[in-house]
Amino acid sequence: MNLIFLGPPGAGKGTQAKLLSARYEIPQISTGDILRASVREQTPMGSRAKSYMDSGSLVPDEVVVGIVEERLQKEDCKKGFILDGFPRTIAQADSLKVTLDSIGKNIQHVISIAVDNEELLTRITGRRTCEKCGKGYHVSFDPPKTQGKCDVCGGDLCQRDDDKEETMRKRLTVYDLQTEPLIEYYSKQSLLRTVPGTGSIEDIQKSIVKILEATA
Ligand code: ADP
Ligand code: ADP
Ligand code: ZN
C-alpha cells in the first residue's frame, strides 16, 4: 500500500502516519523528520535546508525530491510506504510521479486531513516531541504521563523552533499558497480521500483504516 498524507502543519499527519506505519508494517517517510536529522547532524544538506526551515519556508524542491527518490529505492519500501509531508508543491508531485514510474510503482490513496486554522494553531503551539525517540505529544490533547518526559523512553520532550507562533503563521500561509493546490491535483486523478481531522486520534485512525480497507 503506497500512500501520501496531505494536510496543513499540525493536521495530525505525523501522528496518523506513525499509527498506520505500525499497523501495516510499512515505513513512514517524513521529509520534515529527515531534514531535521540532517540539520542536527550538520550535513551539507542540513546546512542548506536550515535557513528555509527556520523561516517557515519550503526547502527547495530538488533537495526534498532527492531525499524521497533515494528513500523509495530502499528494501523496506517493497511492501509499501507512507509519504508524510511530501509532496508539498505541484513540482514535487510531478517529480514523484516520474520517480515512481521509473521503479514501477504508483500511489493508491492520498489521504487529506482537514482541520481549521484555529485548531491548527492550538495543536502546533502545544506540540512536543521526544528528543530521543521522536514520539509526538500534545501538552493538553495527548500529554505524557510525566510532564516533559517521554512515556516510551524517558527522553526529554522539546518544542520545535519552527512551532513558535510567528513561524507557524508563515507556514500556514505557505501551505495555502504552495501545497493546497495539490488537493485539486490529486482530486482530478481520483486519488484524494478526505478525512475530517477533528475528533480523537483513535477515531481519525479508524476513519482512515475504513477508507483503506474498503478499497483494498
Ligand atoms: P509540519 O508537518 O508541521 O508542516 P514538517 O515536519 O513536515 O512540518 O516540515 C517542517 C519543515 O521542513 C517545513 O516547514 C519545510 O521547511 C521543510 N519541509 C518538510 N517537507 C518538505 C517538503 N516536502 N518540501 C519542502 N520543504 C519541506
Ligand atoms: P503534522 O504532522 O500534520 O504537522 P502532528 O501529527 O505532529 O501534525 O500533530 C500536531 C499536534 O497535534 C501534536 O502535538 C499532536 O499530538 C496533536 N494531535 C494530533 N492529532 C490530534 C487530534 N486528533 N486531536 C488533538 N490533537 C491532535
Ligand atoms: Zn521517547
Side-chain angles (χ1 to χ4, degrees), residues 8-16 84 119 123-124 126-128 136-138 141-142 197 199-201 204:
K13 302 180 297 294
T15 304
Q16 295 298 332
D84 163 13
E119 172 75 13
R123 285 195 189 176
I124 300 174
R127 169 159 58 189
R128 298 293 182 272
Y137 294 88
H138 188 282
F141 306 142
D142 189 15
S200 72
I201 292 173
I204 297 166

Side-chain angles (χ1 to χ4, degrees), residues 114-196:
V115 176
D116 66 52
N117 271 16
E118 205 173 319
E119 172 75 13
L120 292 174
L121 294 175
T122 319
R123 285 195 189 176
I124 300 174
T125 43
R127 169 159 58 189
R128 298 293 182 272
T129 314
C130 173
E131 241 166 25
K132 239 163 120 187
C133 76
K135 181 165 166 42
Y137 294 88
H138 188 282
V139 291
S140 322
F141 306 142
D142 189 15
K145 292 195 178 81
T146 310
Q147 197 190 345
K149 298 282 174 198
C150 177
D151 293 349
V152 179
C153 76
D156 288 328
L157 302 189
C158 58
Q159 183 177 33
R160 274 167 47 181
D161 285 338
D162 62 344
D163 277 350
K164 308 277 156 65
E165 174 120 16
E166 199 186 300
T167 322
M168 177 181 81
R169 287 191 189 275
K170 166 81 188 288
R171 283 160 57 214
L172 292 175
T173 310
V174 165
Y175 173 82
D176 287 340
L177 291 174
Q178 298 186 264
T179 309
E180 210 263 348
L182 287 175
I183 291 187
E184 195 189 331
Y185 177 97
Y186 284 121
S187 171
K188 280 190 177 146
Q189 297 177 30
S190 304
L191 290 175
L192 195 77
R193 323 278 178 248
T194 304
V195 175

Side-chain angles (χ1 to χ4, degrees), residues 8-10 13 30-33 35-36 52-53 56-61 64 84-88 92 127 160 162-163 171:
K13 302 180 297 294
S30 157
T31 42
D33 286 348
L35 288 166
R36 276 185 292 279
Y52 296 98
M53 297 171 79
S57 313
L58 293 183
V59 170
D61 288 335
V64 281
D84 163 13
F86 179 94
R88 260 176 153 97
Q92 290 178 20
R127 169 159 58 189
R160 274 167 47 181
D162 62 344
D163 277 350
R171 283 160 57 214

